[in-house]
Amino acid sequence: MKNTAITSPVAGIMRWGVWGANFTTAQYREMIETCLQYGIVTFDHADIYGDYTTEAEFGEVIKESPSLRHHMKLISKCGIQMVSPNRPEHRIKSYNTSRQHIIRSVEHSLQNLGTDYLDVLLIHRPDPLLDPAEVAEAIELLKEQGKILSFGVSNFLPHQVDLLAKYTLIEYNQVEISLMQPRSLTDGTLENCMRHRIIPMAWAPLGGGLFTDDSHPRFRAISLAANELAEKYHTGLNEILLAWLHTHPAGIQSVIGTTKIERLLQAKAAASIRLEREDWFRLLAASTGEDVA
C-alpha cells in the first residue's frame, strides 16, 4: 500500500511555468531533482496553472524518467474553470464541482503529469453550486480506481468543510495563512482542522511577497520582531516566519511557491523550529498591531 502522508515543506509549482519563471524542461528537471536530493518530495499543482500548461511541462520530466515518480508525491487541484485558449469551451470564469468535471479534470492531470495516480486531490475553491453527495460520488469512484489516494479542499471555511465532511473523508485544507494574513487563527479554520483531524496547508506562508514591501503598514513591525528572534534562534528571517506557523498545534504545513531552491531549504530548516510561547505571541502582536485582550 502506498504511503499517502505528506511531509512539510511542499514545493508549490504555480510559478514554475508561464505564470512565472517559464522553466524549460531541463530547468524543471534540475529543480525536481534538487528538491528530491534534499528530501523535498511533495509538489503542489493545480490543473489551471500556466493556463492549463504547467502540469504537462512538469510531466515531461516524469515521462522521460518514470522512476522519479516513485520518489515524489503529487498534489493537484480542480474545480476552477478559466477562460483560456486552452479551454475554448469555457465562456466565463466559473467553478465546476460536478462529478463529470472532477473525474475529467483528474484524468487530464494524470495524463499531463505522466502518472497513474495523484497522492492528493483538492477542490480548489468553494463552489456555491457544490453538491456534496455528487462530489463524494466522484471522489469515492476515483479512490476505488486508484486514481487518487487522498482527498481534501482548498480555501474552504469551516461550515463548508463540515458539510462536505458528512459525505466523504477530507484530509487536507489548503488555505492562506501567514503573519500577513492570520485570519485562519480567528475564523475557526484551524480549530475545524483539529476537530476533523484535517491537515492544514498554508499557501503564501511568507505573505505572498509582502515581506519584501517596506511600504506595507505591518512590514516594519513584523520584520523587526522576526529579525530579533532570528538572532535568538540562530536562524534566518524566513525560517522564523515559517516557524510561527509550525508552532501552532494544528500541524500546519507550508506550501512554498518559489522558483528558488534556497527558499525551499529555508522552509525545510524551519520545519524543525518551535518558538517559545511568548515569542509566538510577540510575532502575533507585531502582525495585528496590538496585544491580545
Side-chain angles (χ1 to χ4, degrees):
M1 184 174 180
K2 299 182 180 75
N3 178 11
T4 62
I6 299 299
T7 55
S8 189
V10 175
I13 310 303
M14 186 176 73
R15 296 190 180 96
W16 289 22
V18 297
W19 286 0
N22 203 16
F23 282 167
T24 63
T25 301
Q27 289 170 318
Y28 273 103
R29 173 180 291 278
E30 180 181 11
M31 192 70 170
I32 292 168
E33 291 180 344
T34 303
C35 284
L36 296 177
Q37 176 187 344
Y38 286 104
I40 299 165
V41 301
T42 305
F43 301 88
D44 179 73
H45 291 267
D47 56 355
I48 63 171
Y49 289 169
D51 286 329
Y52 299 96
T53 65
T54 302
E55 282 187 331
E57 291 171 354
F58 185 101
E60 284 301 311
V61 177
I62 298 176
K63 291 171 183 177
E64 290 177 0
S65 303
S67 62
L68 288 174
R69 178 65 179 97
H70 305 303
H71 304 287
M72 65 173 64
K73 296 182 184 298
L74 296 176
I75 301 169
S76 194
K77 300 180 282 293
C78 72
I80 299 176
Q81 291 191 154
M82 289 184 58
V83 177
S84 167
N86 296 313
R87 293 293 187 275
E89 68 274 20
H90 296 170
R91 300 185 302 274
I92 185 172
K93 186 177 182 182
S94 60
Y95 300 143
N96 191 339
T97 53
S98 67
R99 178 185 185 277
Q100 179 184 22
H101 182 79
I102 291 171
I103 292 171
R104 184 172 61 241
S105 295
V106 168
E107 290 173 347
H108 283 161
S109 291
L110 295 180
Q111 180 180 4
N112 288 334
L113 288 165
T115 183
D116 57 1
Y117 70 96
L118 296 173
D119 293 273
V120 181
L121 174 70
L122 305 178
I123 299 297
H124 206 156
R125 291 274 178 182
D127 175 9
L129 297 179
L130 183 147
D131 179 336
E134 187 174 355
V135 171
E137 184 181 344
I139 297 308
E140 296 311 311
L141 176 62
L142 290 166
K143 284 183 175 180
E144 288 172 10
Q145 294 173 337
K147 293 180 180 178
I148 66 171
L149 304 185
S150 299
F151 173 66
V153 295
S154 182
N155 304 297
F156 273 50
L157 293 170
H159 67 279
Q160 295 163 332
V161 171
D162 287 344
L163 174 63
L164 189 53
K166 290 181 179 180
Y167 293 81
T168 191
L169 177 64
I170 298 176
E171 297 183 60
Y172 299 91
N173 190 5
Q174 189 176 121
V175 295
E176 183 179 12
I177 319 174
S178 72
L179 276 162
M180 286 292 191
Q181 184 48 270
R183 178 179 56 237
S184 294
L185 295 176
T186 55
D187 67 5
T189 294
L190 294 179
E191 291 88 347
N192 188 260
C193 285
M194 289 191 284
R195 175 189 174 195
H196 289 293
R197 297 184 179 179
I198 293 169
I199 296 173
M201 290 183 169
W203 61 265
L206 292 170
L210 290 177
F211 286 116
T212 62
D213 180 6
D214 61 6
S215 66
H216 193 281
R218 285 176 288 165
F219 170 87
R220 294 184 186 278
I222 295 173
S223 294
L224 176 62
N227 277 312
E228 290 179 357
L229 290 175
E231 292 186 17
K232 174 180 176 179
Y233 288 86
H234 307 290
T235 189
L237 170 67
N238 286 341
E239 287 88 336
I240 291 295
L241 299 175
L242 294 172
W244 183 79
L245 295 176
H246 301 319
T247 300
H248 193 281
I252 300 168
Q253 295 178 342
S254 297
V255 180
I256 310 298
T258 183
T259 59
K260 301 182 185 302
I261 191 64
E262 55 266 29
R263 287 289 178 89
L264 288 164
L265 295 180
Q266 290 169 350
K268 185 178 180 183
S272 62
I273 301 172
R274 295 297 179 271
L275 301 179
E276 294 177 10
R277 183 174 288 266
E278 288 193 352
D279 293 336
W280 191 91
F281 277 98
R282 181 181 176 188
L283 288 168
L284 179 63
S287 171
T288 63
E290 57 186 15
D291 291 335
V292 295

